[in-house]
Each structure stands twice: as C-alpha cells, then as structure tokens.
Amino acid sequence: MSIWKSLIAEFDASLPRRTAVLLKENETTTAYYYPMDFGKIGYHLDTRITTSYEEKPTFSFYLDDYVRGDFVNNPVLALNAFFTKQMRTAPNWLRRDIGFPNVGLDLEETAAVPSDQGVVWSLNFKQRNLHKIADHRFHLVVTGQSELRLETSVPPERPELKVLRLTSEQGESLAIAVPAEAETGLFGSVVEYREVIAGEAIPSGTITGRYLVIGFRIRFEKVLSSKNWKQQRFSVALSSLGPTEAVESYGDDYEERTESLWNGFFDRIPKLGSDREDAERMYYKCWTVIKQNYYRHPEWGFMVLEALPVYKGAWMWGTSAIVSNSILDPDHPAEYARNSINLFTQNIREDGYLTHAIYIDEKEPGERWGRGEGVIQTPHLPWVAYSYYEKTKDVEQLKIWYPLFKRFYDYIGRTRDEGLDRLHLWAAKTSFDIGLDVSPQFTDITYYGESHAYSAVFAAERVRYERTMGDIADLLGHLEDAVEWRNAAQVTLEAANRNLWDEEAGWYGARRANGTLDTRVSVDGLAFLAYGLVDPERAQAMKPGVEKLIATYGVRTFAPDEPGYEPDVYWRGPSWPKSCAWGAQAVCRYYPDLRERTLDALIRFAFRWPNIWECMNGDNGEIARGDIGVKATPGVSSNVGAGELITALRAFGRKNSGELG
C-alpha cells in the first residue's frame, strides 16, 4: 500500500493560499512554493529566513493572462479565461484540474518535489477540439522583486534541455530547466513583453529585465471523435539551489519519484501500531508536516522549524513536541533535541534567564526577546532532556545541561514567586509567559495592568520540572540534590492543591494577584491531569469539566459555558494541538470511557484542512483568529502542531497510565 497515496486529499479553494498548502524544496533551506491566488495559474517561491506574517515572495511564476491564438486559431492574443474544477494535495504534490472555455482545452496542472532539490511544474494540456485544428502559444512568466539578470546554458548531460538562471539585485537566484526548443526572452515590463508575445516568435530580449517569458506551442490536429483526443505536456523544473538541482529534478516521472521519496520516509518512521486506519493516516500526515519543517542552520545544525511559513526558529513552549518530532525522527534521531536544548542553554544570561524564542536570522540567538525580565514560557526542558537521554544514553549532555537547568529554575523562582506571593508556585506576569496567549483567565495581566496570576499550567510544570531534576540528579550521582528536588516537587504539589484547587468547582484555577481563585474550566487546569498529578477523588470531580472541553474538532482551550468563551479567538476557546495532546493524555490516564470520543475529535481536527493548523473553532473547524484579528497561522506547523498530535496519538497506544511518563 502507498501511504503517500492514502494522504491525497481534496483542497478547499477558499483557503488563503500561503497558509493552505506548500511544497518544501529541500530540508537544508527554508525555500517553499505555494499557489498564487485564483486569478492566476502559478506559484510563488519564498526563500526568506525571517519570521514574518507578511507575504513577500522572492520569485513568482505563472501562465500569462493571454494566449496567442483564439478559439478559431486567429493569431491574436486572447484572454486566458479559465475555471478550476478540482484541487488535490499530498506530501510535496499539488494538482489542479483546469478548463479553458475560450480555447477549448483542459489542463491538468501539477507541481511536485521529486528529489528534495526543486519543484517540477507540469502542464498537461488535454485536447477538446473536434473537426478543427487547435493551435495556441502559451507563455510562462517568471518575475521577482527587483531587476533580474539572465544567464542561459545547455547542460552537457541533458542536451534536450536548457537552463535559465535568474539572479536578482539582492543576489537571490532561481534556476529553471526548460525544453531546449522553448522560446525565451527577458523584458523590462508587462507592456513590453505583451507586445512581443503577440508576434510570430519571441525574441531573446535582453540579459537584464523584470519579466522572463517562456513561450511554448500547444497544437492538436483535428479528430473525428472524442475517443481520439490526445494530450500534450509542457514541463519546467525550478530550483533555488542551482542549475544542477533544477536539471536533476526535471523529468516526466516526477509523480512516481515524489511518491517513492515519501513512502521511503514513511517506511523508516517508527510504527504507531493503531488498529484504526484513520489514526494511522493522521500519524503519517503529522510526520509529513514535521519533515516539511526540516532546516539546517549553517551554525546551529539540524532543526525542525517551529512552523513554516511564518515561525522560523525555536520556541520554549514548543520543546514539548521534541519527544515526538525529534526523539522518534528516523533520519535525524534526537539530533534536533540536542541542538534545540543547546540553542537555549548555551545562550543563558548571567542571571539565569533563558529566552523563550530564538529566530534563525538572529546573529545572537535570542537577541529579540532576551532583554529585561523576559517572557518565561512553560519550561519543559528537563523532562525533554531526559527523553533525549533515554533515546541516546548521552549522559555527557545531561552533565552540561543540569547546572544550566538549575540556574533557570532559580531565575523563575526569583522573578515569578519570591518577589510576589511566595507560594512555592510560579506566577505569570503576562499570558505569553505560559504560552496560553490571551486566555480569558490571563487577559488582565496582559492588557489591563494586573501584576500577576498564578497558573495551574505553571504549577503542573514546576512539579514535573522538579521531579525530573531529581531523576537527572540521581543519574549523575548527586544524591543529596535528588532528595531536595523531590522534596521541592512535593511542596509544590501541596501548594497547588492548597492554593489552586477549588473543591466546589472541581477544577484547578488561576490565583489572581488579589488572592481570588478563577476556576473557569480551561486548558490551564487540564495540565494537572495530563501530567498525572491528580488523586482519584479530584480526578472524578474534574471529569465533567474535561467532557466540556472535548469538542467535535479537537479539545477546546476554554469551556463553552464559561464567561469569556470565544470559539473563534486563539486561546479563548478554540482547539489547539497542545490542548489536544493534554486532553488525550488526561483521558488515557483517568477516563477510559472518553478515549474513543477524544480520539475521534483529534482525527477530525487533523483532517479538517490540508495541513495541521494552529487552532480552529472546536464546533465547526473554522480557522480561528488572534485578538488582533489575524487569521491563525500557519497552515504548516511543527512543534505547535504535528508533534503534539503525535504525542496525543501515542498516548492512545499505551495500555495504562503508568506508561505515559
């Protein structure tokens, strides 16, 4: 069975282009291709390493709006009217079926990445003329953000091709392999090239300009019956890596090569072992997203980007997904776990602060956020590091990390408890501290001047931090430290039960600066169940709250009957992969009767859209927005998405709560 084929899915034409599907060129770069909006048949290529919500493609290529040869073959420019009949997508593959009502042709347009070196764009025209000749010249246009310089060469090993290499004023380059007979020319403006393509042939133009035009002829002889209709294909291969890579990508077997490449990857992945076919497909879909986020930094080494196309770097709260997207990685086993933890810990400040976000375009890792008291974000580092050790037995890394984790722990205690209410818990000073951005329980500390609020997520994480530090201390022979860490974890758990548990509400809440307890049911309290920190009596009391969080699509971040619930706004109610993971771990530990319902919700979440999205309305699966009104991004997500969902799936595969760790 082809796993790759099992992942082919219909593509919703109403989705925003950039965040719907993309084709990743190569695991060493950030370069990716995504479809243009529906006024054009073509793609954008983005090679930037910056984290940004704004679209700014490096290059764009598309069919020009005009074809030479109208519906009766008059040698004039005719508007290239078209309609899209179907869109399908699979890993690094996209196909659109298109009809041209004005020239009597259909088009099967496909883009694929067959060798992890570049994209093949194939235009397979299908004859629709009877008793008349069809004779048309189409034009591909390639453009960039500035003036381009063109070099043309013929690869000795492939004389049937020629390579067009475009270089921008900023030094960005794109190599394009085309059939040797294709007409090509570089021109200064749309007006200029439109005048040219109206003629009998396309002159070569100049070596500098803004628009590269590639002309090719589609001609079908007249036939007597539709049974005799034929097809004619025109393909190009494009690569930002160079001419060699473009030439090696070129070929009509692009689909078979793409399928083979991905099936080979899927075969190397550790098996999930689920008895449900839809859970298996979800598992492989998540791995597709993870592989699409591979990147090799010239100094920091192999990484899994937080989330193409927007978030290019590593985030502290996303390290929890490392136990899936790195520890289980078949081709780079645990490599990103080591690199990511090193990236944070090697850039620790003198006072012990670790930045919560590091961008790949930073000269000094963490320079954007590593100022002042800083955002903390839920610090998963010790237990993720211990998972790394269990995979690799690399005790030397633990020896390096252990004192750095202790310094960070001391910093959090000084800034998030000792100078506040001294509860032996951690308080958030902004919702961004815990990663539950603008959750209703933490709106006031973010927007309205409240000084702090003690979070259940932080409390659960502190217990796990201290317990794992005890395990690491034992392993390293620091036996007295191990006892102190475990005693600290017990004190933290008792403090949480005393200060954050509401017997009447049956939930762990957020303790506000004025001492009141906000026990609205939310993902904040869910963390205690996910980490196995709840006794049977409290777990039973929490069950109605858990049931309210399980949605049609995933696990909600806020219960729908609570004040402040917003089903379409970020952490104010929508489902996130992280809430899905915590929900899955909670029901697998405590509520076996909710397992199937929760798993069904997760599978619906994963397959609602072509990729794994940040967050969506749990009732209808519509994409949610942030407080500022921006659509939740991105479409492709690694640490904040696919890795967390794999963690959730693996929870369902374990037989008892003791195996959840």
Side-chain angles (χ1 to χ4, degrees), residues 257-268:
R257 291 161 64 198
T258 301
E259 179 181 0
S260 175
L261 197 69
W262 280 94
N263 279 337
F265 173 72
F266 293 139
D267 285 343
R268 297 191 298 274

Side-chain angles (χ1 to χ4, degrees), residues 348-607:
I348 193 169
R349 273 189 342 208
E350 286 295 319
D351 61 0
Y353 175 68
L354 293 178
T355 183
H356 83 286
I358 296 174
Y359 300 81
I360 63 173
D361 65 335
E362 292 179 330
K363 293 181 180 179
E364 296 294 330
E367 62 189 14
R368 282 182 178 83
W369 289 99
R371 306 188 189 97
E373 195 171 74
V375 171
I376 295 294
Q377 282 205 340
T378 312
H380 307 298
L381 293 178
W383 57 268
V384 173
Y386 200 83
S387 296
Y388 166 82
Y389 164 75
E390 289 181 314
K391 173 72 174 181
T392 65
K393 306 305 178 187
D394 186 355
V395 72
E396 295 304 315
Q397 278 291 352
L398 285 186
K399 290 178 181 178
I400 295 170
W401 291 335
Y402 176 75
L404 301 176
F405 293 161
K406 186 178 186 304
R407 286 174 58 191
F408 187 37
Y409 173 86
D410 291 341
Y411 179 84
I412 303 172
R414 286 198 310 273
T415 62
R416 298 304 192 274
D417 186 33
E418 291 172 16
L420 302 173
D421 300 340
R422 302 182 69 87
L423 300 179
H424 210 276
L425 300 170
W426 289 335
K429 294 185 175 180
T430 171
S431 62
F432 307 111
D433 267 346
I434 48 177
L436 308 183
D437 299 0
V438 301
S439 173
Q441 290 159 308
F442 305 102
T443 295
D444 288 352
I445 60 174
T446 303
Y447 292 143
Y448 299 111
E450 185 180 18
S451 60
H452 64 278
Y454 281 85
S455 156
V457 162
F458 257 4
E461 199 66 44
R462 179 166 180 167
V463 174
R464 194 170 189 184
Y465 198 115
E466 292 161 340
R467 285 181 176 179
T468 310
M469 288 293 278
D471 293 339
I472 296 174
D474 259 344
L475 189 68
L476 300 180
H478 306 317
L479 302 185
E480 291 183 4
D481 279 6
V483 172
E484 291 182 9
W485 282 116
R486 292 193 177 102
N487 287 340
Q490 185 60 33
V491 172
T492 301
L493 184 57
E494 290 172 357
N497 287 333
R498 184 171 58 252
N499 292 285
L500 303 183
W501 174 255
D502 187 314
E503 192 72 37
E504 183 178 350
W507 203 257
Y508 286 93
R511 187 182 187 273
R512 314 209 73 86
N514 63 9
T516 60
L517 195 58
D518 184 340
T519 50
R520 285 177 285 181
V521 173
S522 77
V523 71
D524 186 47
L526 195 60
F528 265 84
L529 292 166
Y531 288 176
L533 305 178
V534 184
D535 60 51
E537 292 76 17
R538 287 190 177 95
Q540 191 59 37
M542 296 180 75
K543 186 176 181 181
V546 173
E547 291 186 88
K548 289 193 289 186
L549 293 177
I550 301 171
T552 302
Y553 296 93
V555 176
R556 295 183 180 93
T557 52
F558 213 72
D561 61 347
E562 297 284 16
Y565 171 73
E566 300 281 354
D568 300 305
V569 185
Y570 234 45
W571 289 87
R572 300 181 181 278
S575 299
W576 280 69
K578 193 148 194 165
S579 60
C580 289
W582 279 344
Q585 290 168 317
V587 301
C588 288
R589 286 184 186 277
Y590 295 102
Y591 315 115
D593 58 314
L594 299 180
R595 286 169 59 103
E596 287 303 308
R597 176 183 165 191
T598 306
L599 180 56
D600 288 343
L602 266 59
I603 291 171
R604 283 190 291 267
F605 180 98
F607 287 111

Side-chain angles (χ1 to χ4, degrees), residues 24-32 46-51 241 289-308 311-314 325 329 332 335-336 339-340 343 358-362 638:
K24 181 73 157 36
E25 185 173 78
N26 179 267
E27 74 169 48
T28 66
T29 76
T30 62
Y32 67 94
D46 191 329
T47 62
R48 295 175 298 166
I49 63 172
T50 55
T51 288
L241 299 170
V289 174
I290 291 169
K291 190 175 188 298
Q292 295 286 62
N293 281 276
Y294 282 179
Y295 172 67
R296 191 166 292 279
H297 191 280
E299 297 177 16
W300 307 339
F302 175 76
M303 302 179 66
V304 183
L305 297 177
E306 187 76 5
L308 274 176
Y311 301 115
K312 298 166 187 165
N325 70 12
D329 191 318
H332 308 273
E335 185 178 352
Y336 174 57
N339 292 345
S340 179
L343 191 57
I358 296 174
Y359 300 81
I360 63 173
D361 65 335
E362 292 179 330
S638 62

